[in-house]
Amino acid sequence: DGGITQSPKYLFRKEGQNVTLSCEQNLNHDAMYWYRQDPGQGLRLIYYSQIVNDFQKGDIAEGYSVSREKKESFPLTVTSAQKNPTAFYLCASSIGGTSYNEQFFGPGTRLTVL
Amino acid sequence: GQNIDQPTEMTATEGAIVQINCTYQTSGFNGLFWYQQHAGEAPTFLSYNVLDGLEEKGRFSSFLSRSKGYSYLLLKELQMKDSASYLCALPMNRDDKIIFGKGTRLHILP
């Protein structure tokens, strides 16, 4: 079965700790994305990558970092510099090439920082 | 720049019809997406409109007017499982980015 997986579904961390969220896809998609969603809010783009070994900042990249060493994987690190990290994080992928392509989403990780 | 406006919440009755509107401003139009998102779950694709007019897909239809910067999603024969948020989104022409609206939360009453 092709799809996108994110793990874990729920994650708890203490304030001041860095945490890395996993995102893996076996759809052979070139483009991958990370979004953040807060209650009652739409999706806000954190980082995106159109090809391996390249990525761009989205609208709210401060306090986050990513890597794209493999086509299948796009992990997101939430650093201690992120002032309000508690949120629902969604990873997505698309065939790439243009923005007209449908994005496929993973199930999300709900991060709570205590 | 880009801007997307949708109503925050709507309520409808099971079996009825509801229309969710989306107005937008963008410097370059590349089509418009509608996604459905159930609470706590991932968004799923519903439709993509690039030409004016109505596109029907089962109980769901999506309409686009490029000259008016306006789209709507029409849901017929509402079912309780249609209770969800509906996100309007614009693809950007420079790269692979999509800009999402804040979504409309639809409540279905029995």
Side-chain angles (χ1 to χ4, degrees), chain A residues 3-5 22-34 48-55 67-75 91-97 104, chain B residues 96:
Chain A
I4 303 180
T5 56
S22 165
C23 178
E24 304 279 331
Q25 54 97 1
N26 61 3
L27 300 167
N28 200 32
H29 284 173
D30 285 315
M32 296 187 74
Y33 314 81
W34 274 106
Y48 63 108
S49 168
Q50 296 170 284
I51 197 167
V52 175
N53 292 322
D54 189 38
F55 49 83
S67 63
R68 186 82 187 279
E69 296 175 3
K70 298 187 299 181
K71 188 175 186 178
E72 303 79 21
S73 179
F74 191 40
C91 179
S93 71
S94 70
I95 293 174
F104 295 81
Chain B
D96 282 313

Coordinates of all heavy atoms in Angstrom, one line a residue, chain A residues 3-5 22-34 48-55 67-75 91-97 104, chain B residues 96:
Chain A
G3 N 1.6 5.3 0.6 CA 1.0 6.3 1.4 C 2.1 7.1 2.1 O 3.3 6.9 1.9
I4 N 1.7 7.9 3.1 CA 2.6 8.7 3.9 C 2.3 8.3 5.3 O 1.2 8.2 5.8 CB 2.3 10.2 3.7 CG1 2.4 10.6 2.3 CG2 3.2 11.0 4.6 CD1 2.1 12.1 2.1
T5 N 3.4 8.1 6.0 CA 3.3 7.8 7.5 C 4.0 8.8 8.3 O 5.1 9.4 7.9 CB 3.9 6.4 7.7 OG1 5.3 6.4 7.3 CG2 3.2 5.3 7.0
S22 N 8.8 12.4 12.5 CA 9.1 11.6 11.3 C 8.1 11.7 10.2 O 6.9 11.8 10.5 CB 9.3 10.1 11.7 OG 9.2 9.3 10.6
C23 N 8.5 11.7 9.0 CA 7.6 11.7 7.8 C 8.2 10.8 6.7 O 9.3 11.1 6.3 CB 7.3 13.1 7.3 SG 6.2 13.0 5.8
E24 N 7.5 9.8 6.3 CA 8.0 8.9 5.3 C 6.9 8.6 4.3 O 5.8 8.5 4.6 CB 8.4 7.5 5.9 CG 9.4 7.5 7.0 CD 10.8 7.7 6.5 OE1 11.1 7.2 5.4 OE2 11.7 8.2 7.3
Q25 N 7.3 8.6 3.0 CA 6.4 8.3 1.9 C 6.9 7.3 0.9 O 8.1 7.3 0.6 CB 5.9 9.6 1.2 CG 7.0 10.5 0.6 CD 7.3 10.2 -0.9 OE1 6.7 9.4 -1.5 NE2 8.3 11.0 -1.4
N26 N 6.1 6.4 0.4 CA 6.5 5.4 -0.6 C 5.7 5.6 -1.9 O 5.5 4.7 -2.6 CB 6.4 4.0 0.0 CG 5.0 3.7 0.3 OD1 4.0 4.5 0.2 ND2 4.8 2.5 0.9
L27 N 5.3 6.9 -2.1 CA 4.6 7.2 -3.3 C 5.5 7.6 -4.5 O 5.0 8.0 -5.6 CB 3.6 8.3 -3.0 CG 2.5 8.0 -1.9 CD1 1.8 9.3 -1.4 CD2 1.5 7.0 -2.4
N28 N 6.8 7.7 -4.2 CA 7.7 8.1 -5.2 C 7.5 9.6 -5.6 O 7.7 10.0 -6.7 CB 7.7 7.2 -6.5 CG 9.0 7.4 -7.3 OD1 10.1 7.6 -6.7 ND2 8.9 7.3 -8.6
H29 N 7.0 10.4 -4.6 CA 6.8 11.8 -4.9 C 8.1 12.6 -4.7 O 8.8 12.3 -3.8 CB 5.7 12.3 -3.9 CG 4.3 11.9 -4.3 ND1 3.2 12.1 -3.5 CD2 3.8 11.3 -5.4 CE1 2.1 11.7 -4.1 NE2 2.5 11.1 -5.2
D30 N 8.2 13.6 -5.5 CA 9.4 14.4 -5.4 C 9.2 15.5 -4.3 O 10.2 15.9 -3.7 CB 9.7 15.2 -6.8 CG 10.3 14.2 -7.8 OD1 11.2 13.4 -7.4 OD2 9.9 14.2 -8.9
A31 N 8.0 16.1 -4.2 CA 7.8 17.2 -3.3 C 7.2 16.7 -2.0 O 6.4 15.9 -1.9 CB 6.9 18.2 -4.0
M32 N 7.7 17.3 -0.9 CA 7.2 17.1 0.4 C 7.1 18.4 1.2 O 7.8 19.3 0.9 CB 8.1 16.1 1.2 CG 8.2 14.7 0.5 SD 9.1 13.5 1.4 CE 7.9 13.1 2.7
Y33 N 6.2 18.4 2.2 CA 5.8 19.6 2.9 C 5.6 19.3 4.4 O 5.1 18.2 4.7 CB 4.5 20.2 2.3 CG 4.4 20.2 0.8 CD1 4.1 19.1 0.1 CD2 4.7 21.4 0.1 CE1 4.0 19.1 -1.3 CE2 4.6 21.4 -1.2 CZ 4.3 20.3 -1.9 OH 4.3 20.3 -3.3
W34 N 5.8 20.3 5.2 CA 5.4 20.3 6.6 C 4.5 21.5 6.9 O 4.8 22.6 6.5 CB 6.6 20.4 7.5 CG 7.2 19.1 7.8 CD1 8.4 18.5 7.3 CD2 6.7 18.0 8.7 NE1 8.6 17.3 7.8 CE2 7.6 17.0 8.6 CE3 5.5 17.9 9.5 CZ2 7.4 15.8 9.4 CZ3 5.3 16.8 10.2 CH2 6.2 15.7 10.2
Y48 N 9.2 23.3 2.9 CA 8.9 22.3 1.8 C 10.1 22.0 1.0 O 11.1 22.8 1.0 CB 7.7 22.9 0.9 CG 8.0 24.1 0.1 CD1 8.3 24.1 -1.2 CD2 8.0 25.4 0.8 CE1 8.5 25.3 -1.9 CE2 8.3 26.5 0.1 CZ 8.5 26.5 -1.3 OH 8.8 27.6 -2.0
S49 N 10.0 20.9 0.3 CA 11.2 20.4 -0.5 C 10.7 19.9 -1.8 O 9.7 19.1 -1.9 CB 11.9 19.3 0.3 OG 12.8 18.6 -0.5
Q50 N 11.3 20.4 -2.9 CA 10.8 20.0 -4.2 C 11.7 18.8 -4.8 O 11.3 18.2 -5.7 CB 10.9 21.1 -5.2 CG 9.9 22.2 -4.8 CD 10.1 23.5 -5.6 OE1 11.0 24.2 -5.4 NE2 9.2 23.7 -6.6
I51 N 12.9 18.6 -4.1 CA 13.8 17.6 -4.6 C 14.7 17.2 -3.5 O 15.0 18.0 -2.6 CB 14.5 18.1 -5.9 CG1 15.1 16.9 -6.7 CG2 15.5 19.2 -5.5 CD1 15.6 17.4 -8.0
V52 N 15.3 16.1 -3.6 CA 16.3 15.6 -2.6 C 17.4 16.6 -2.4 O 17.9 17.2 -3.4 CB 16.8 14.2 -3.0 CG1 17.9 13.8 -2.0 CG2 15.7 13.2 -3.0
N53 N 17.8 16.8 -1.2 CA 18.9 17.7 -0.9 C 18.6 19.2 -1.1 O 19.6 20.0 -1.2 CB 20.2 17.3 -1.6 CG 20.8 16.0 -1.1 OD1 20.7 15.7 0.1 ND2 21.3 15.2 -2.0
D54 N 17.4 19.5 -1.2 CA 17.0 20.9 -1.3 C 15.7 21.2 -0.6 O 14.8 20.3 -0.6 CB 16.8 21.3 -2.8 CG 16.6 22.8 -3.0 OD1 17.3 23.6 -2.3 OD2 15.8 23.1 -3.9
F55 N 15.6 22.3 0.1 CA 14.3 22.6 0.7 C 14.2 24.2 0.9 O 15.3 24.9 0.8 CB 14.2 22.0 2.1 CG 15.4 22.1 3.0 CD1 15.6 23.2 3.8 CD2 16.3 21.1 3.1 CE1 16.7 23.4 4.6 CE2 17.4 21.2 3.9 CZ 17.6 22.3 4.7
S67 N 15.5 18.3 6.9 CA 16.5 17.7 6.1 C 15.8 16.9 5.0 O 14.7 16.4 5.3 CB 17.5 16.9 6.8 OG 16.9 15.8 7.4
R68 N 16.5 16.7 3.9 CA 15.9 15.9 2.8 C 17.0 15.1 2.2 O 17.5 15.4 1.0 CB 15.2 16.7 1.8 CG 14.4 15.9 0.7 CD 13.1 15.5 1.2 NE 12.4 14.6 0.3 CZ 11.7 14.9 -0.8 NH1 11.7 16.2 -1.2 NH2 11.1 14.0 -1.6
E69 N 17.5 14.2 2.9 CA 18.7 13.4 2.4 C 18.2 12.2 1.5 O 19.0 11.7 0.7 CB 19.4 12.8 3.6 CG 20.1 13.9 4.4 CD 20.8 13.4 5.7 OE1 20.8 12.2 5.9 OE2 21.3 14.2 6.5
K70 N 16.9 11.8 1.7 CA 16.4 10.7 0.9 C 15.0 11.2 0.3 O 14.3 11.9 0.9 CB 16.2 9.5 1.7 CG 17.4 8.8 2.3 CD 17.1 7.5 2.9 CE 16.1 7.7 4.1 NZ 15.8 6.4 4.7
K71 N 14.7 10.7 -0.8 CA 13.4 11.1 -1.5 C 12.2 10.7 -0.6 O 11.2 11.4 -0.5 CB 13.3 10.3 -2.8 CG 12.1 10.8 -3.7 CD 12.2 10.1 -5.0 CE 11.1 10.6 -6.0 NZ 11.2 10.0 -7.3
E72 N 12.4 9.6 0.2 CA 11.2 9.1 0.9 C 11.0 9.8 2.2 O 10.0 9.6 2.9 CB 11.4 7.6 1.2 CG 11.6 6.7 0.0 CD 13.0 6.8 -0.6 OE1 14.0 7.2 0.2 OE2 13.2 6.4 -1.8
S73 N 12.0 10.5 2.7 CA 12.0 11.0 4.1 C 12.2 12.5 4.2 O 13.0 13.0 3.5 CB 13.1 10.2 4.9 OG 13.1 10.7 6.2
F74 N 11.4 13.1 5.1 CA 11.5 14.5 5.3 C 11.2 14.9 6.8 O 10.2 15.4 7.1 CB 10.5 15.2 4.4 CG 10.6 16.7 4.3 CD1 11.9 17.3 4.2 CD2 9.5 17.5 4.2 CE1 12.0 18.7 4.0 CE2 9.6 18.9 4.0 CZ 10.8 19.5 3.9
P75 N 12.2 14.6 7.6 CA 12.0 14.8 9.1 C 12.0 16.3 9.5 O 12.7 17.1 8.9 CB 13.1 14.1 9.7 CG 14.2 14.0 8.7 CD 13.5 14.0 7.4
C91 N 2.4 16.3 7.6 CA 3.3 16.2 6.5 C 2.5 15.8 5.3 O 1.5 15.1 5.3 CB 4.3 15.1 6.8 SG 5.5 14.7 5.6
A92 N 3.0 16.3 4.1 CA 2.3 16.0 2.9 C 3.3 15.8 1.7 O 4.5 16.2 1.9 CB 1.3 17.1 2.5
S93 N 2.8 15.2 0.7 CA 3.7 15.0 -0.5 C 2.9 15.2 -1.8 O 1.7 15.0 -1.7 CB 4.4 13.6 -0.5 OG 3.5 12.6 -0.8
S94 N 3.6 15.5 -2.9 CA 2.9 15.5 -4.2 C 3.9 15.1 -5.2 O 5.1 15.1 -5.0 CB 2.4 16.9 -4.4 OG 3.4 17.8 -4.7
I95 N 3.4 14.8 -6.4 CA 4.3 14.4 -7.5 C 5.3 15.4 -7.8 O 6.5 15.1 -8.1 CB 3.4 14.1 -8.8 CG1 2.5 13.0 -8.6 CG2 4.3 13.9 -10.0 CD1 1.6 12.7 -9.7
G96 N 5.0 16.7 -7.6 CA 5.9 17.8 -7.9 C 5.9 18.3 -9.3 O 5.1 17.8 -10.1
G97 N 6.8 19.2 -9.5 CA 6.8 19.8 -10.9 C 6.1 21.1 -11.0 O 6.5 22.1 -11.5
F104 N -1.0 14.8 -0.9 CA -1.5 13.7 0.0 C -0.9 13.9 1.3 O 0.3 14.1 1.5 CB -1.0 12.4 -0.6 CG -1.6 12.1 -2.0 CD1 -1.1 12.6 -3.1 CD2 -2.7 11.2 -2.1 CE1 -1.6 12.3 -4.4 CE2 -3.2 10.9 -3.3 CZ -2.7 11.5 -4.5
Chain B
D96 N 5.9 24.7 -5.9 CA 5.0 23.7 -5.5 C 4.1 24.1 -4.3 O 3.4 23.3 -3.8 CB 5.7 22.4 -5.1 CG 6.1 21.6 -6.4 OD1 5.2 21.5 -7.3 OD2 7.2 21.2 -6.4

